Amino acid sequence: MTTSETKYETHEHDVLVIGAGGAGLRAAIEASAMGLSVGLVCKSLLGKAHTVMAEGGIAAALGNVEPRDNWKVHFRDTMKGGRYLNQWRMAQLHAMEAPDRVNELEQWGALFDRTNDGRILQRNFGGHKYPRLAHVGDRTGLEMIRTLQQHGIHTGMKVYMECTVTRLLGAGGRVGGAFGYWRENGRFVVFYAKAIVLATGGVGRCFKINSNSWECTGDGQSLAYLAGAELMDMEFMQFHPTGMVWPPSVRGTLITEGVRGEGGTLRNKDGKRFMFEYIPALYANETADKEEEADKWLKLSVQGKSEKGVRRTPDLLPRDIVARAIHSEVKAGRGSPHGGVFLDIATRRTADDIKRKLPAMYHQFKELGDVDITKDPMEVGPTAHYVMGGIRVDPETQESGVKGLYAAGECAAGMHGSNRLGGNSLSDLAVFGRIAGKYAGEHAKGATALKIEDDEIEAAAREALEPFNRERGENPFAVHEDLMNQMQKYVGIMRNADDLAQGLKEIGRLQETARNLRVEGNRHFNAGWHET
Ligand code: FAD
């Protein structure tokens, strides 16, 4: 029985996609193309999903710059970068299908940078043997979202913006709906669907220093877990080596790996190119161990060329290795004034090149840090960036352990092992977004609607309202801040048993505190309630 407080509106679809980043949009396009009724829900505005922030590019073995590239090399690089802990079949499907997905984006209107002979240009990135990242300057995510959105809205999908889902609904190991509320007025909404795709992105906002947007609070992972799905590899958090370290207000903001892909090099406070000291045995064969060879490679790279036998610069080793190296340099007292190291692009590229190839980086430093990167080096340090772990899915279909519940993109797990290579997320979104949409669609075609009991909806509504009913309680913003600090302190880039044990205690304490959150005011535009 609903009261006026717990009243809700309802919508019904064959497939409900939760999340409108690259993965969600691609899934929704696929399911719509099957002639199904598709709902797409997102907690921000359409076009504002975190994917829009992606900078450096989308990885696919198109072989446009280096004809020796092919899906097998991409597969090998991805497995090696993930320390062979990847779900191999996902890595294989990804490498095989990524070129088709990039070409499809182009057919749908994406304007990638071009080679001199008019093909899609590809740039170098860490851990990729050959130049492999199709890109649009350093604003690739914006172009991807623009393209998918423009294509998607013409397929007839219904978009629900600024609507947060707080619970999945279902029974007997099946999912059949989702409960949420409109952020604007706080009113409740229930979606009934035969299949649901979660595409809610990452968890970076649980760390103090992070590169993520406000949306990345692990909603999908927790929705799936509470609905009975399994999570895997949650300990695999990627710390990107190059976040801004100064000024404090923008600490963590990303500096794309594209800067090093375009010839940028790392130095410590003594001017030393320290990455030569950190080449692991696994990468020794393919990494230059002397400056002369690395410089030759960098020179070729700047010209968009590569040459057989010339090994890559260690500045472009996979992210986990570079991030740990920077951390070690700073710990050893060889860091920059604000606790990072230096990244220099001005030595190898002209001011015009930098402004053309890395326009967002140029403006970011000029406006936020008062640094002209065409003249001076940037100060950079690790920032929490991407979660490799997430919802366990079937590699062929992206279905989770709960019948009818699919996941794709950063909230799903397996593809990247213990460390993702740059550019492999945007291609992951396109490849597995499509697969999730296809199989969710097929499931919906053959399924009957699940009956959702009123009690379940009522319980979800009561749970959402509880923080208003407490006379005393904790401030949700303070709890989030506390969580970020504890994660940064105990579960950061270098971990040990003592810190993890202490971290676990602190998180346990916060788990208790979080049961007692309190918000004031009413349900209209209530930021404290959203945070809760
Ligand atoms: P997102 O784009 O995060 O979208 C999540 C969606 O879910 C949003 O629409 C959100 O509103 C919605 N949502 C979340 N929770 C709820 C809820 N409870 N209810 C309703 N809706 C909800 N990767 C690359 O491959 N190449 C790059 O160059 C690159 N550059 C990057 C640069 C930056 C600064 C950052 C931070 C990341 C970069 N990445 C890059 C990583 C990549 O951008 C992300 O991994 C990827 O965009 C995640 O996409 P997604 O579709 O999984 O989710």
Side-chain angles (χ1 to χ4, degrees):
M1 173 83 79
T2 55
T3 67
S4 60
E5 279 212 309
T6 58
K7 214 163 60 180
Y8 55 87
E9 65 184 68
T10 61
H11 300 276
E12 212 173 318
H13 292 285
D14 294 317
V15 177
L16 183 74
V17 180
I18 306 174
L25 276 164
R26 189 60 191 82
I29 287 171
E30 198 64 20
S32 288
M34 296 167 79
L36 298 166
S37 146
V38 175
L40 178 66
V41 190
C42 51
K43 67 180 179 183
S44 62
L45 291 168
L46 187 65
K48 292 277 183 184
H50 172 75
T51 299
V52 89
M53 294 166 73
E55 295 165 352
I58 173 167
L62 298 163
N64 288 354
V65 171
E66 174 49 78
R68 280 174 297 172
D69 201 11
N70 60 55
W71 76 261
K72 289 180 188 167
V73 188
H74 191 182
F75 171 62
R76 184 209 76 134
D77 291 350
T78 301
M79 292 296 292
K80 190 170 174 178
R83 288 294 190 278
Y84 303 101
L85 294 166
N86 323 50
Q87 209 299 334
W88 70 267
R89 178 64 177 149
M90 284 177 84
Q92 186 189 32
L93 284 171
H94 166 261
M96 290 170 90
E97 294 187 15
D100 285 349
R101 298 287 75 77
V102 171
N103 287 326
E104 173 182 82
L105 283 170
E106 193 188 38
Q107 282 155 21
W108 291 348
L111 295 168
F112 290 105
D113 288 5
R114 319 304 296 181
T115 60
N116 288 336
D117 61 357
R119 288 174 300 159
I120 295 175
L121 182 59
Q122 298 184 272
R123 64 163 45 126
N124 280 299
F125 244 58
H128 292 282
K129 184 163 186 187
Y130 298 125
R132 191 175 281 148
L133 267 70
H135 57 277
V136 184
D138 53 4
R139 295 181 179 129
T140 313
L142 175 64
E143 186 68 354
M144 182 171 182
I145 286 287
R146 185 192 67 76
T147 305
L148 290 175
Q149 194 176 305
Q150 224 162 53
H151 189 80
I153 52 170
H154 297 295
T155 62
M157 64 180 73
K158 174 110 171 68
V159 181
Y160 304 89
M161 288 189 254
E162 298 196 295
C163 178
T164 299
V165 171
T166 61
R167 279 279 167 179
L168 295 178
L169 306 169
R174 263 183 79 187
V175 78
F179 178 90
Y181 70 97
W182 297 106
R183 297 173 73 84
E184 185 188 347
N185 55 28
R187 292 208 193 109
F188 293 137
V189 49
V190 171
F191 300 96
Y192 298 106
K194 293 177 192 154
I196 294 184
V197 180
L198 286 168
T200 49
V203 307
R205 298 302 286 194
C206 68
F207 286 89
K208 182 79 183 158
I209 301 171
N210 72 78
S211 66
N212 285 195
S213 85
W214 67 272
E215 293 172 289
C216 302
T217 44
D219 300 16
Q221 291 84 340
S222 97
L223 288 168
Y225 183 71
L226 293 171
E230 216 180 305
L231 302 182
M232 64 183 267
D233 292 347
M234 289 306 287
E235 71 277 27
F236 294 152
M237 185 74 204
Q238 175 167 86
F239 295 86
H240 194 292
T242 60
M244 289 179 85
V245 294
W246 190 259
S249 57
V250 294
R251 191 164 185 150
T253 304
L254 196 78
I255 297 145
T256 174
E257 198 166 312
V259 174
R260 282 170 287 140
E262 295 293 341
T265 48
L266 293 161
R267 292 178 188 276
N268 65 17
K269 79 167 173 27
D270 307 319
K272 182 173 173 184
R273 287 190 35 200
F274 58 86
M275 279 311 301
F276 289 100
E277 312 290 322
Y278 294 93
I279 304 169
L282 187 64
Y283 283 92
N285 286 343
E286 56 196 78
T287 311
D289 54 3
K290 299 272 177 324
E291 286 204 22
E292 306 81 71
E293 191 183 4
D295 282 342
K296 184 168 182 196
W297 185 89
L298 281 162
K299 208 165 162 190
L300 286 166
S301 150
V302 162
Q303 297 163 354
K305 294 181 190 157
S306 66
E307 203 173 272
K308 207 169 175 187
V310 181
R311 295 176 301 171
R312 297 165 62 83
T313 174
D315 297 283
L316 277 173
L317 280 163
R319 290 174 177 174
D320 52 343
I321 300 164
V322 182
R324 280 196 295 269
I326 294 175
H327 182 84
S328 302
E329 287 297 299
V330 175
K331 274 229 139 174
R334 296 189 289 270
S336 62
H338 301 106
V341 294
F342 295 107
L343 172 60
D344 161 44
I345 180 76
T347 304
R348 283 194 174 72
R349 301 303 292 241
T350 64
D352 280 352
D353 274 356
I354 294 168
K355 288 181 194 166
R356 188 168 49 83
K357 301 293 289 183
L358 301 162
M361 292 303 105
Y362 173 73
H363 287 292
Q364 184 173 309
F365 272 89
K366 199 92 183 111
E367 279 157 34
L368 303 177
D370 200 22
V371 173
D372 182 348
I373 67 168
T374 66
K375 297 194 180 97
D376 298 313
M378 298 155 247
E379 266 188 86
V380 301
T383 178
H385 182 62
Y386 183 91
V387 62
M388 276 71 65
I391 303 160
R392 187 190 288 275
V393 288
D394 178 287
E396 304 289 341
T397 64
Q398 298 293 111
E399 192 174 25
S400 73
V402 176
K403 205 86 212 119
L405 182 63
Y406 297 74
E410 194 170 339
C411 71
M415 156 66 204
H416 306 284
S418 65
N419 174 60
R420 172 176 74 84
L421 297 186
N424 269 2
S425 172
L426 293 189
S427 39
D428 167 343
L429 310 182
V431 169
F432 294 109
R434 187 191 76 85
I435 293 176
K438 174 175 187 280
Y439 285 96
E442 280 181 8
H443 175 87
K445 273 184 167 173
T448 47
L450 185 70
K451 165 130 184 59
I452 304 293
E453 299 298 335
D454 288 348
D455 286 356
E456 197 186 356
I457 298 171
E458 273 288 302
R462 275 197 309 275
E463 176 189 56
L465 292 174
E466 265 170 22
F468 285 110
N469 300 331
R470 295 196 178 100
E471 289 206 352
R472 255 188 283 273
E474 308 290 336
N475 175 335
F477 293 104
V479 174
H480 189 179
E481 184 73 19
D482 201 348
L483 172 70
M484 289 166 109
N485 287 325
Q486 304 306 337
M487 290 295 284
Q488 193 71 38
K489 193 164 167 195
Y490 296 116
V491 201
I493 186 165
M494 295 288 204
R495 298 171 186 177
N496 61 52
D498 288 348
D499 279 358
L500 288 176
Q502 187 57 34
L504 214 51
K505 264 195 207 155
E506 299 292 349
I507 306 296
R509 170 180 62 78
L510 284 169
Q511 196 173 23
E512 286 309 308
T513 316
R515 288 192 222 285
N516 193 31
L517 295 175
R518 175 169 185 265
V519 288
E520 288 180 19
N522 62 37
R523 286 154 68 176
H524 284 256
F525 296 112
N526 192 323
W529 194 36
H530 301 329
E531 180 78 358
T532 308

